[in-house]
Amino acid sequence: MIGGLYSELEAFEAILRHGSFTAAARQLEVTPGAITRRLNALEARLGAKLLNRSTRRLSLTEAGRHYHAEVAPALAQILAAGERVHDRAAQPRGELRVSLPMNFGRLYVMPRLGEFLDRHPGIALDVQFDDRFVDLVGEGFDCAIRIGALADSRLVARRIAQTRRILVAAPAYLARRGAPAAPEQLSEHDCLHYTLFRDTPTWEFHGRGETLRIPVRGRLRANYGVPLVDAALRGDGILQTATFAVAEELAAGRLVEVLPQWSLRPIGIHAVYPGREYRPRKVEAFVAFVEEIIGTPAVWDRLLGA
């Protein structure tokens, strides 16, 4: 009975997490029919329908919502215990759902994911690129790489690096508008603001033994860094950005650093994941791989602006 209930609960959780019987079957490495049978058995055991099923979508019934709310904490512990037992006896395996920052992930992680899969043939990756700080628990992610300030106390965070922020502009913009000689002169310029830094349009500078907080203005803001880099390249304004995002443009002279004698607050790069007591080996393997990528001289130099 216990073994049957475990497999039924495992199937129920997988269906809710992935949104379909087919995806749940793929994660558990069984057929969709087996998932259906397990859910039917659980509903029969409880004497209640848990899911509304149609060809287009799945949704919890009222009974299903109440049942899941009550069993979810215990279910998470049961499934984690199962993962721990399996992890001690085998290589990392299973589907790994990861959230990556769009630009950092595109430039440095995505090109090497094939290498990660070659090393870990038991892992299947589902990688989502999003500069938004996704809800790892609510949206079913195993881990995320995050750049910027952290606020979610439900998550465990592991700092794996930091990157330097700088101001950049196109030579054509500076020729047209003049290069600011001090942070206070930014009020005379069009500034391009990346909203997901979680800062207000006030830029903080450190230098000469003092800290300056300068309100900036500009007609263009965005929550994605690549279009802002493109805007800076067009000569639309001065951009505050992470050094890794503009390393090639700086090296080629398409952008130049503004106010290099002043420093801005660095940005932390963290691996974050749900839970505090146990991290599955598949998550450990991925975080270690990202740390390996960051530790390569080429990436490290770009993070620090060397």
Side-chain angles (χ1 to χ4, degrees):
M1 174 179 173
I2 293 177
L5 178 59
Y6 174 84
S7 65
E8 293 161 15
L9 290 171
E10 185 181 44
F12 181 46
E13 177 67 18
I15 293 167
L16 294 181
R17 178 174 181 178
H18 296 281
S20 76
F21 284 61
T22 300
R26 187 163 52 246
Q27 181 206 345
L28 298 180
E29 299 180 350
V30 298
T31 65
I35 294 293
T36 300
R37 288 191 294 274
R38 292 180 188 182
L39 179 64
N40 289 341
L42 180 61
E43 290 178 331
R45 185 191 299 274
L46 298 173
K49 186 177 181 180
L50 301 177
L51 284 176
N52 293 311
R53 289 165 259 184
S54 71
T55 56
R56 294 187 176 182
R57 64 189 297 268
L58 297 171
S59 63
L60 285 166
T61 64
E62 183 177 359
R65 285 194 300 273
H66 288 300
Y67 182 68
H68 187 256
E70 291 190 31
V71 304
L75 179 57
Q77 292 184 0
I78 292 170
L79 296 178
E83 286 188 354
R84 284 194 290 272
V85 170
H86 187 276
D87 279 356
R88 292 189 185 104
Q91 294 297 314
R93 67 182 295 275
E95 182 176 85
L96 179 63
R97 194 157 189 254
V98 177
S99 173
L100 294 178
M102 294 181 74
N103 209 18
F104 180 82
R106 175 182 64 87
L107 290 172
Y108 303 113
V109 182
M110 190 66 185
R112 294 188 57 184
L113 287 183
E115 180 183 343
F116 177 81
L117 293 173
D118 288 342
R119 290 188 195 179
H120 303 287
I123 293 179
L125 276 173
D126 177 358
V127 183
Q128 304 291 317
F129 292 84
D130 200 330
D131 282 344
R132 174 180 61 94
F133 277 19
V134 299
D135 179 356
L136 264 67
V137 176
E139 298 179 47
F141 285 94
D142 295 295
C143 68
I145 303 299
R146 289 186 171 170
I147 299 177
L150 301 179
D152 195 336
S153 61
R154 296 176 301 168
L155 305 176
V156 177
R158 175 170 159 184
R159 190 181 182 94
I160 55 180
Q162 69 177 28
T163 184
R164 193 164 66 92
R165 291 194 230 202
I166 58 174
L167 302 186
V168 296
Y173 174 87
L174 298 176
R176 186 175 74 249
R177 300 287 298 272
E184 295 88 346
Q185 293 180 6
L186 288 171
S187 61
E188 304 167 11
H189 287 266
D190 293 317
C191 294
L192 307 168
H193 188 65
Y194 177 60
T195 56
L196 291 187
F197 271 152
R198 292 194 169 186
D199 294 335
T200 61
T202 300
W203 294 351
E204 183 178 297
F205 294 86
H206 303 271
R208 301 185 308 197
E210 59 181 327
T211 297
L212 301 178
R213 294 177 178 83
I214 306 298
V216 297
R217 62 179 180 82
R219 293 186 296 155
L220 179 58
R221 303 184 196 178
N223 66 348
Y224 180 24
V226 171
L228 289 174
V229 173
D230 291 341
L233 288 166
R234 289 193 303 268
D236 292 344
I238 297 175
L239 172 65
Q240 179 190 161
T241 185
T243 54
F244 71 80
V246 291
E248 292 183 3
E249 291 77 9
L250 288 169
R254 296 191 295 271
L255 293 174
V256 296
E257 188 171 355
V258 176
L259 296 173
Q261 67 274 30
W262 291 84
S263 62
L264 293 95
R265 188 170 67 249
I267 316 166
I269 302 177
H270 296 82
V272 296
Y273 55 93
R276 297 188 174 275
E277 296 182 357
Y278 172 68
R279 179 165 53 188
R281 289 186 65 192
K282 61 185 180 182
V283 174
E284 287 277 7
F286 186 79
V287 172
F289 188 73
V290 174
E291 287 182 310
E292 179 183 319
I293 292 172
I294 287 174
T296 59
V299 177
W300 190 256
D301 288 348
R302 290 186 173 199
L303 291 176
L304 298 181

